[in-house]
Amino acid sequence: MQMLLIAQGPREWASSRLRAWNLADQADWIHCCTAKSVLDSDAKELPFDYDVYVFQKWMDAQTVRIAKQLRFLGKQVWLDLADPLWWLEPHNFFRFLPHLTGIVVNTDAMQRALREAGASHQAALPSIAVIPDRMPPDAFSQLRRHEPRTRPVCLWFGRAENRVGLQSMQLSLHYSARMGQPLTLRIVDDGPARGVTTAGPVEYRPWQLHTFQQELLDADVVLVPPYPGRWGELKSNNRSVTAWCAGIPTDDGWQPERLLPLLRDASLRARLGAELRREAERHYRVAESIRDWHQLTGNR
């Protein structure tokens, strides 16, 4: 059994890295390419020598045509959804359904929402499995050594368009500052070095795959405010898990008083970080995702 994961983008894109490239790195029966390399090819040049094809998020008219061709050849065709794209591309999504072996999502909430959407549209859905975002071995290779710091660093990372989520952290950051605790907010993303104000200095660093681990290991707390609205309810916790792997506690901003003791007490950060790392080691290793895919596809 050979599987091709057709990633939405390159390794630098988080969902493509976590749900495609990292799996291919760890399993010799899983292979990966970008959607662009497939969709830009002539139909005669498509790689037809795999047993299972997984399209990550893509569901345009060309993808539907390719899926029909693959199913005619007896191949399995899966759709991997890390975002609720049926709200953005409803027509293409429901046109894609008859040509799918199954759908994989990354959260239980996404699975429930997708089933609700199917019922609302009176659409027959294929099987929907949940495979969480999980981490490769090198994510566990280093552990943050928490030490007292006069001005602890609160790290936020992601796509610049998602900085809007930082608004829900403002109460926590201002409360800590008003209680006499200095802090630095560090933003690591692909956006401009401006635009965010809070209690204390704001630093901006460009997100780069080869430097991100060191940026992470210099943080005392990682901020993980949710995305606004229903979209945020369905999103993966992969930013939290990224921090947990390095033994760094996280804060989502829901309880303004919770951040302050983490900033003041390095030993508390170390204890909580160690607990969260054990949680990540138990439940968020990429080997589990590889086993999940084998179970989904291997007996068909």
Side-chain angles (χ1 to χ4, degrees):
M1 178 72 68
Q2 296 291 305
M3 182 167 78
L4 180 64
L5 296 171
I6 304 170
Q8 184 186 30
R11 191 180 293 269
E12 287 75 14
W13 294 17
S15 62
S16 296
R17 182 172 64 256
L18 294 173
R19 302 191 64 77
W21 296 103
N22 286 347
L23 279 70
D25 290 342
Q26 302 299 318
D28 58 9
W29 60 277
I30 299 178
H31 309 269
C32 189
C33 67
T34 63
K36 188 176 188 300
S37 69
V38 171
L39 299 179
D40 285 355
S41 299
D42 184 88
K44 295 179 181 178
E45 299 176 1
L46 288 174
F48 289 127
D49 48 348
Y50 299 96
D51 305 290
V52 181
Y53 293 77
V54 181
F55 289 88
Q56 186 189 50
K57 299 185 181 181
W58 285 93
M59 58 183 79
D60 60 10
Q62 187 178 4
T63 309
V64 173
R65 178 182 61 79
I66 293 172
K68 290 171 66 175
Q69 190 172 9
L70 291 171
R71 291 306 300 275
F72 178 78
L73 294 172
K75 311 295 187 178
Q76 294 185 41
V77 177
W78 293 76
L79 176 63
D80 181 35
L81 282 178
D83 292 300
L85 298 183
W86 63 87
W87 288 331
L88 298 181
E89 300 183 43
H91 298 297
N92 284 333
F93 176 78
F94 289 104
R95 286 176 56 204
F96 204 4
L97 291 180
H99 312 295
L100 292 175
T101 306
I103 299 173
V104 170
V105 296
N106 58 357
T107 68
D108 293 335
M110 186 94 72
Q111 183 188 57
R112 290 192 297 270
L114 181 50
R115 286 174 174 163
E116 291 170 3
S120 174
H121 287 264
Q122 298 182 335
L125 295 174
S127 64
I128 306 171
V130 179
I131 299 181
D133 293 344
R134 297 188 176 108
M135 302 296 158
D138 60 4
F140 298 90
S141 62
Q142 294 178 285
L143 183 66
R144 174 74 163 101
R145 294 172 62 91
H146 290 281
E147 298 176 350
R149 207 171 192 176
T150 303
R151 187 180 289 278
V153 172
C154 295
L155 174 68
W156 182 89
F157 64 90
R159 292 177 60 87
E161 64 195 38
N162 296 321
R163 287 182 186 178
V164 62
L166 280 168
Q167 292 302 315
S168 62
M169 289 300 312
Q170 291 288 7
L171 277 178
S172 297
L173 297 170
H174 280 275
Y175 176 78
S176 296
R178 290 299 180 92
M179 294 298 290
Q181 175 60 60
L183 60 90
T184 294
L185 172 60
R186 183 173 296 160
I187 295 174
V188 178
D189 66 12
D190 56 347
R194 62 182 185 276
V196 176
T197 58
T198 190
V202 180
E203 297 178 354
Y204 299 88
R205 306 276 180 87
W207 191 95
Q208 296 177 309
L209 183 59
H210 69 280
T211 61
F212 175 70
Q213 189 68 11
Q214 289 307 311
E215 296 282 9
L216 180 64
L217 290 168
D218 190 46
D220 298 289
V221 179
V222 171
L223 306 182
V224 290
Y227 297 86
R230 185 75 191 283
W231 193 289
E233 295 175 6
L234 309 186
K235 288 290 288 183
S236 163
N237 65 342
N238 59 52
R239 289 184 301 140
S240 294
V241 176
T242 299
W244 300 350
C245 291
I248 303 172
T250 56
D251 188 82
D252 60 11
W254 282 109
Q255 294 178 294
E257 297 89 349
R258 183 177 179 274
L259 179 61
L260 180 60
L262 289 174
L263 298 178
R264 284 179 169 172
D265 190 345
S267 63
L268 174 62
R269 296 197 298 270
R271 289 195 304 273
L272 183 56
E275 293 174 7
L276 293 169
R277 181 182 169 99
R278 288 192 290 271
E279 173 75 6
E281 289 174 332
R282 285 193 297 268
H283 300 294
Y284 291 100
R285 289 188 177 274
V286 73
E288 294 294 322
S289 296
I290 294 170
R291 280 192 284 270
D292 288 345
W293 272 113
H294 187 271
Q295 290 176 358
L296 280 178
T297 63
N299 296 320
R300 291 179 180 270

